[in-house]
mmCIF file of all heavy atoms in Angstrom:
data_model
loop_
_atom_site.group_PDB
_atom_site.id
_atom_site.type_symbol
_atom_site.label_atom_id
_atom_site.label_comp_id
_atom_site.label_asym_id
_atom_site.label_seq_id
_atom_site.Cartn_x
_atom_site.Cartn_y
_atom_site.Cartn_z
ATOM 1 N N ILE A 1 90.057 110.893 96.227
ATOM 2 C CA ILE A 1 90.043 112.433 95.935
ATOM 3 C C ILE A 1 91.268 112.735 95.067
ATOM 4 O O ILE A 1 92.371 112.209 95.275
ATOM 5 C CB ILE A 1 90.198 113.149 97.214
ATOM 6 C CG1 ILE A 1 89.052 112.869 98.277
ATOM 7 C CG2 ILE A 1 90.259 114.659 96.992
ATOM 8 C CD1 ILE A 1 87.697 113.440 97.841
ATOM 9 N N VAL A 2 91.031 113.626 94.106
ATOM 10 C CA VAL A 2 92.096 114.180 93.309
ATOM 11 C C VAL A 2 92.206 115.626 93.619
ATOM 12 O O VAL A 2 91.143 116.410 93.571
ATOM 13 C CB VAL A 2 91.876 114.051 91.790
ATOM 14 C CG1 VAL A 2 92.970 114.706 90.955
ATOM 15 C CG2 VAL A 2 91.829 112.532 91.384
ATOM 16 N N LEU A 3 93.360 116.154 93.966
ATOM 17 C CA LEU A 3 93.678 117.489 94.244
ATOM 18 C C LEU A 3 94.639 118.117 93.193
ATOM 19 O O LEU A 3 95.579 117.427 92.801
ATOM 20 C CB LEU A 3 94.386 117.644 95.620
ATOM 21 C CG LEU A 3 93.757 117.019 96.804
ATOM 22 C CD1 LEU A 3 94.729 116.987 97.987
ATOM 23 C CD2 LEU A 3 92.487 117.834 97.222
ATOM 24 N N GLU A 4 94.171 119.265 92.636
ATOM 25 C CA GLU A 4 94.952 119.826 91.477
ATOM 26 C C GLU A 4 95.065 121.333 91.696
ATOM 27 O O GLU A 4 94.176 122.012 92.067
ATOM 28 C CB GLU A 4 94.238 119.596 90.145
ATOM 29 C CG GLU A 4 94.083 118.138 89.819
ATOM 30 C CD GLU A 4 93.317 117.914 88.584
ATOM 31 O OE1 GLU A 4 92.132 117.976 88.603
ATOM 32 O OE2 GLU A 4 93.942 117.658 87.513
ATOM 33 N N ILE A 5 96.384 121.761 91.495
ATOM 34 C CA ILE A 5 96.625 123.177 91.540
ATOM 35 C C ILE A 5 97.995 123.448 90.844
ATOM 36 O O ILE A 5 98.978 122.667 91.018
ATOM 37 C CB ILE A 5 96.711 123.688 93.049
ATOM 38 C CG1 ILE A 5 96.751 125.246 92.974
ATOM 39 C CG2 ILE A 5 97.834 123.130 93.816
ATOM 40 C CD1 ILE A 5 96.479 125.866 94.451
ATOM 41 N N GLU A 6 98.098 124.489 90.078
ATOM 42 C CA GLU A 6 99.270 124.951 89.375
ATOM 43 C C GLU A 6 100.022 123.745 88.782
ATOM 44 O O GLU A 6 101.178 123.525 88.978
ATOM 45 C CB GLU A 6 100.152 125.682 90.310
ATOM 46 C CG GLU A 6 99.645 126.993 90.685
ATOM 47 C CD GLU A 6 100.565 127.917 91.525
ATOM 48 O OE1 GLU A 6 101.742 127.488 91.751
ATOM 49 O OE2 GLU A 6 100.155 129.028 91.896
ATOM 50 N N ASN A 7 99.319 122.991 87.939
ATOM 51 C CA ASN A 7 99.860 121.818 87.152
ATOM 52 C C ASN A 7 100.455 120.747 88.077
ATOM 53 O O ASN A 7 101.239 119.936 87.645
ATOM 54 C CB ASN A 7 100.968 122.312 86.143
ATOM 55 C CG ASN A 7 100.367 123.193 85.133
ATOM 56 O OD1 ASN A 7 99.327 122.910 84.573
ATOM 57 N ND2 ASN A 7 101.032 124.199 84.777
ATOM 58 N N GLN A 8 99.928 120.644 89.321
ATOM 59 C CA GLN A 8 100.305 119.555 90.225
ATOM 60 C C GLN A 8 99.047 118.832 90.517
ATOM 61 O O GLN A 8 97.907 119.364 90.672
ATOM 62 C CB GLN A 8 100.818 120.147 91.505
ATOM 63 C CG GLN A 8 102.083 120.973 91.313
ATOM 64 C CD GLN A 8 102.500 121.789 92.614
ATOM 65 O OE1 GLN A 8 102.963 121.127 93.597
ATOM 66 N NE2 GLN A 8 102.189 123.058 92.611
ATOM 67 N N ARG A 9 99.218 117.519 90.558
ATOM 68 C CA ARG A 9 98.020 116.603 90.719
ATOM 69 C C ARG A 9 98.436 115.517 91.755
ATOM 70 O O ARG A 9 99.482 114.852 91.532
ATOM 71 C CB ARG A 9 97.613 115.979 89.429
ATOM 72 C CG ARG A 9 96.434 115.156 89.419
ATOM 73 C CD ARG A 9 96.131 114.556 88.100
ATOM 74 N NE ARG A 9 94.807 113.934 87.970
ATOM 75 C CZ ARG A 9 94.600 112.665 88.312
ATOM 76 N NH1 ARG A 9 95.506 111.926 88.813
ATOM 77 N NH2 ARG A 9 93.354 112.299 88.124
ATOM 78 N N ILE A 10 97.626 115.340 92.762
ATOM 79 C CA ILE A 10 97.850 114.346 93.734
ATOM 80 C C ILE A 10 96.545 113.565 94.045
ATOM 81 O O ILE A 10 95.521 114.250 94.153
ATOM 82 C CB ILE A 10 98.461 114.929 95.062
ATOM 83 C CG1 ILE A 10 99.823 115.617 94.886
ATOM 84 C CG2 ILE A 10 98.569 113.946 96.129
ATOM 85 C CD1 ILE A 10 100.334 116.291 96.031
ATOM 86 N N GLU A 11 96.619 112.330 94.243
ATOM 87 C CA GLU A 11 95.488 111.508 94.556
ATOM 88 C C GLU A 11 95.542 110.880 95.912
ATOM 89 O O GLU A 11 96.706 110.461 96.370
ATOM 90 C CB GLU A 11 95.360 110.323 93.666
ATOM 91 C CG GLU A 11 94.991 110.697 92.151
ATOM 92 C CD GLU A 11 94.830 109.441 91.262
ATOM 93 O OE1 GLU A 11 94.737 108.376 91.823
ATOM 94 O OE2 GLU A 11 94.858 109.699 90.081
ATOM 95 N N THR A 12 94.451 110.748 96.685
ATOM 96 C CA THR A 12 94.488 110.047 97.934
ATOM 97 C C THR A 12 94.354 108.548 97.562
ATOM 98 O O THR A 12 94.230 108.191 96.381
ATOM 99 C CB THR A 12 93.271 110.300 98.801
ATOM 100 O OG1 THR A 12 92.004 109.905 97.995
ATOM 101 C CG2 THR A 12 93.067 111.815 99.096
ATOM 102 N N ASN A 13 94.520 107.647 98.579
ATOM 103 C CA ASN A 13 94.241 106.208 98.325
ATOM 104 C C ASN A 13 92.728 106.113 98.209
ATOM 105 O O ASN A 13 91.956 107.000 98.647
ATOM 106 C CB ASN A 13 94.679 105.475 99.578
ATOM 107 C CG ASN A 13 96.165 105.468 99.752
ATOM 108 O OD1 ASN A 13 96.902 105.229 98.824
ATOM 109 N ND2 ASN A 13 96.615 105.846 100.922
ATOM 110 N N TYR A 14 92.349 105.063 97.562
ATOM 111 C CA TYR A 14 90.874 104.882 97.468
ATOM 112 C C TYR A 14 90.365 104.025 98.580
ATOM 113 O O TYR A 14 91.141 103.155 99.123
ATOM 114 C CB TYR A 14 90.456 104.292 96.012
ATOM 115 C CG TYR A 14 90.564 102.783 95.879
ATOM 116 C CD1 TYR A 14 89.492 101.942 96.144
ATOM 117 C CD2 TYR A 14 91.810 102.154 95.482
ATOM 118 C CE1 TYR A 14 89.655 100.559 95.998
ATOM 119 C CE2 TYR A 14 91.932 100.824 95.343
ATOM 120 C CZ TYR A 14 90.840 100.022 95.581
ATOM 121 O OH TYR A 14 90.934 98.631 95.412
ATOM 122 N N LYS A 15 89.136 104.210 98.971
ATOM 123 C CA LYS A 15 88.522 103.479 100.029
ATOM 124 C C LYS A 15 87.528 102.519 99.518
ATOM 125 O O LYS A 15 86.505 102.979 98.755
ATOM 126 C CB LYS A 15 87.904 104.365 101.094
ATOM 127 C CG LYS A 15 88.903 105.348 101.694
ATOM 128 C CD LYS A 15 89.950 104.553 102.459
ATOM 129 C CE LYS A 15 90.980 105.530 103.076
ATOM 130 N NZ LYS A 15 92.034 104.829 103.849
ATOM 131 N N LYS A 16 87.571 101.251 99.779
ATOM 132 C CA LYS A 16 86.682 100.279 99.229
ATOM 133 C C LYS A 16 85.345 100.235 99.851
ATOM 134 O O LYS A 16 85.197 100.284 101.110
ATOM 135 C CB LYS A 16 87.380 98.854 99.218
ATOM 136 C CG LYS A 16 86.573 97.796 98.573
ATOM 137 C CD LYS A 16 87.549 96.788 98.057
ATOM 138 C CE LYS A 16 86.762 95.688 97.180
ATOM 139 N NZ LYS A 16 86.241 96.177 96.043
ATOM 140 N N SER A 17 84.226 100.215 99.112
ATOM 141 C CA SER A 17 82.800 99.943 99.510
ATOM 142 C C SER A 17 82.422 100.840 100.689
ATOM 143 O O SER A 17 81.995 100.254 101.635
ATOM 144 C CB SER A 17 82.706 98.451 99.853
ATOM 145 O OG SER A 17 83.020 97.677 98.717
ATOM 146 N N THR A 18 82.460 102.126 100.490
ATOM 147 C CA THR A 18 81.929 103.005 101.540
ATOM 148 C C THR A 18 81.381 104.273 100.983
ATOM 149 O O THR A 18 81.721 104.723 99.858
ATOM 150 C CB THR A 18 83.091 103.450 102.541
ATOM 151 O OG1 THR A 18 82.520 104.251 103.502
ATOM 152 C CG2 THR A 18 84.218 104.094 101.799
ATOM 153 N N LEU A 19 80.452 104.856 101.611
ATOM 154 C CA LEU A 19 79.778 106.128 101.255
ATOM 155 C C LEU A 19 80.321 107.268 102.213
ATOM 156 O O LEU A 19 79.883 108.419 102.008
ATOM 157 C CB LEU A 19 78.312 106.071 101.155
ATOM 158 C CG LEU A 19 77.711 105.036 100.217
ATOM 159 C CD1 LEU A 19 76.143 105.001 100.291
ATOM 160 C CD2 LEU A 19 78.180 105.385 98.756
ATOM 161 N N SER A 20 81.001 106.946 103.216
ATOM 162 C CA SER A 20 81.636 107.813 104.173
ATOM 163 C C SER A 20 83.011 107.493 104.464
ATOM 164 O O SER A 20 83.345 107.107 105.597
ATOM 165 C CB SER A 20 80.708 107.778 105.499
ATOM 166 O OG SER A 20 79.399 108.224 105.236
ATOM 167 N N PRO A 21 83.860 107.659 103.470
ATOM 168 C CA PRO A 21 85.266 107.369 103.685
ATOM 169 C C PRO A 21 86.081 108.299 104.620
ATOM 170 O O PRO A 21 85.748 109.434 104.706
ATOM 171 C CB PRO A 21 85.795 107.492 102.252
ATOM 172 C CG PRO A 21 84.991 108.561 101.612
ATOM 173 C CD PRO A 21 83.555 108.316 102.223
ATOM 174 N N VAL A 22 87.038 107.750 105.266
ATOM 175 C CA VAL A 22 88.015 108.579 106.118
ATOM 176 C C VAL A 22 89.381 108.270 105.540
ATOM 177 O O VAL A 22 89.853 107.132 105.454
ATOM 178 C CB VAL A 22 87.945 108.135 107.544
ATOM 179 C CG1 VAL A 22 89.010 108.843 108.397
ATOM 180 C CG2 VAL A 22 86.524 108.287 108.098
ATOM 181 N N TRP A 23 90.061 109.390 105.189
ATOM 182 C CA TRP A 23 91.387 109.325 104.589
ATOM 183 C C TRP A 23 92.516 109.736 105.628
ATOM 184 O O TRP A 23 93.454 109.096 105.746
ATOM 185 C CB TRP A 23 91.503 110.237 103.317
ATOM 186 C CG TRP A 23 90.842 109.636 102.129
ATOM 187 C CD1 TRP A 23 91.295 108.604 101.356
ATOM 188 C CD2 TRP A 23 89.523 110.066 101.665
ATOM 189 N NE1 TRP A 23 90.354 108.369 100.357
ATOM 190 C CE2 TRP A 23 89.294 109.255 100.575
ATOM 191 C CE3 TRP A 23 88.640 110.993 102.035
ATOM 192 C CZ2 TRP A 23 88.115 109.357 99.719
ATOM 193 C CZ3 TRP A 23 87.503 111.190 101.239
ATOM 194 C CH2 TRP A 23 87.211 110.360 100.168
ATOM 195 N N ASN A 24 92.339 110.937 106.228
ATOM 196 C CA ASN A 24 93.336 111.491 107.111
ATOM 197 C C ASN A 24 94.826 111.436 106.392
ATOM 198 O O ASN A 24 95.783 110.962 106.944
ATOM 199 C CB ASN A 24 93.435 110.725 108.468
ATOM 200 C CG ASN A 24 92.415 111.193 109.427
ATOM 201 O OD1 ASN A 24 92.082 112.446 109.406
ATOM 202 N ND2 ASN A 24 91.920 110.339 110.176
ATOM 203 N N GLU A 25 94.803 112.045 105.217
ATOM 204 C CA GLU A 25 96.039 112.118 104.413
ATOM 205 C C GLU A 25 96.344 113.613 104.140
ATOM 206 O O GLU A 25 95.466 114.400 103.939
ATOM 207 C CB GLU A 25 95.842 111.406 103.026
ATOM 208 C CG GLU A 25 95.669 109.932 103.135
ATOM 209 C CD GLU A 25 95.433 109.226 101.790
ATOM 210 O OE1 GLU A 25 96.159 109.645 100.865
ATOM 211 O OE2 GLU A 25 94.580 108.353 101.704
ATOM 212 N N SER A 26 97.676 113.932 104.253
ATOM 213 C CA SER A 26 98.183 115.284 104.073
ATOM 214 C C SER A 26 99.016 115.281 102.796
ATOM 215 O O SER A 26 99.802 114.385 102.528
ATOM 216 C CB SER A 26 98.902 115.801 105.256
ATOM 217 O OG SER A 26 98.088 115.872 106.405
#
């Protein structure tokens, strides 16, 4: 996932080989 707001951009880690990923990242 890429989150963008007010010229700030943050990415989650990527999850390998899944169609239902769980991140639990803040």
Side-chain angles (χ1 to χ4, degrees):
I1 302 287
V2 175
L3 305 168
E4 296 176 283
I5 190 168
E6 292 188 2
N7 296 318
Q8 299 168 76
R9 183 180 193 277
I10 299 177
E11 294 182 12
T12 65
N13 293 312
Y14 83 95
K15 300 298 179 177
K16 187 146 182 71
S17 301
T18 182
L19 298 178
S20 296
V22 176
W23 287 282
N24 278 326
E25 296 180 38
S26 291

